Every structure is written in structure tokens, then in C-alpha cells.
Amino acid sequence: MPASLNAQGTTPSFTVNDLSVSLRFYTDGLGFEVVDKQEADGKLTFVSLSAGDARLGIIQDDFAKGKNRVKGVGVRLWLNTKQDIAALAKRVKAAGFALELEPAPLPWGPMAFAVSDPDGYKITVANVGAN
């Protein structure tokens, strides 16, 4: 049998309707930092982001598959941290984004909050250090 994959990490990439709005959500709201930006014809088309060990790419939709293409269905990112969940949730709200779930303990223990990005991609931020 061939060798199993030994990945060194994963970097999901989300196609978004408005790259500038999504960039503000991830940087101002969640606190990701910009690692790299790519442009085409003078327009921002892709941004690589990081938050601790987490990586994420966001790419501007070219709308070749239509302007009404649904995004975010069936996708949820889990971001684990040892940071104060209430403080992180407050940052998201201060940036003008609404939470789907206020900070609360999950049934199995850790504190978490949930939010959707501007395109409907679901994100849960959980404090893994709470147990």
C-alpha cells in the first residue's frame, strides 16, 4: 500500500463576494494578520491570513459561475485558542459583526462563540484551555 499522507498543515481557502469586506471581518473582527496579498490588473484578488498556527486564504470571486452562487454551505472552521473567549467575541462585535452564538460553554466543556463571515462561512472559536 502507498504511504499515507503526512501533511504539514492545512490552509482552507474561501471564495468571497467582496474581498475588502471579508478582509475586514478576518483582520478587524477575528484578529487574523495578513501574510501575503496578490493582485491582478491592479485589483486585490487573494489574501493569505494567519492567526497563531491557523492559516486561511480568501479569494475574490470572479463570478464566472454567477453572482448568486451560494457560499459557505456545509463549512465550519473550528479555531481553538487559550485566549479569553469573551474578549475575542467583544472584538468581533466592536468591528460591527454579529455573533450567532454568544460566549457560552459547549456541552463538552470549553467556552466558545460562533459567528458567520460575510459570505456565510461558519466559524466557532473555542477556548481549549478551559478544561
Side-chain angles (χ1 to χ4, degrees), residues 75-99:
V75 175
R76 178 174 298 276
L77 287 183
W78 281 83
L79 301 172
N80 297 319
T81 184
K82 294 185 183 215
Q83 293 173 277
D84 181 334
I85 291 299
L88 293 171
K90 184 176 179 181
R91 176 188 178 125
V92 172
K93 293 193 287 188
F97 300 99
L99 301 181

Side-chain angles (χ1 to χ4, degrees), residues 8-130:
Q8 301 299 305
T10 185
T11 305
S13 183
F14 293 161
T15 301
V16 300
N17 287 333
D18 187 328
L19 190 54
S20 63
V21 172
S22 293
L23 183 57
R24 193 173 75 73
F25 171 82
Y26 285 103
T27 57
D28 296 351
L30 287 176
F32 277 77
E33 295 179 1
V34 174
V35 174
D36 188 31
K37 292 181 179 182
Q38 296 177 12
E39 293 184 0
D41 299 322
K43 291 184 179 186
L44 188 62
T45 57
F46 177 81
V47 179
S48 178
L49 302 163
S50 71
D53 290 335
R55 301 289 181 263
L56 178 67
I58 51 176
I59 186 166
Q60 176 62 54
D61 194 339
D62 63 6
F63 301 111
K65 295 182 179 179
K67 288 236 180 210
N68 296 324
R69 181 169 63 141
V70 177
K71 297 175 178 71
V73 175
V75 175
R76 178 174 298 276
L77 287 183
W78 281 83
L79 301 172
N80 297 319
T81 184
K82 294 185 183 215
Q83 293 173 277
D84 181 334
I85 291 299
L88 293 171
K90 184 176 179 181
R91 176 188 178 125
V92 172
K93 293 193 287 188
F97 300 99
L99 301 181
E100 291 184 346
L101 173 68
E102 291 288 331
L106 295 171
W108 55 93
M111 290 291 292
F113 70 88
V115 63
S116 288
D117 85 350
D119 292 286
Y121 296 102
K122 310 270 185 215
I123 300 161
T124 297
V125 180
N127 185 323
V128 294

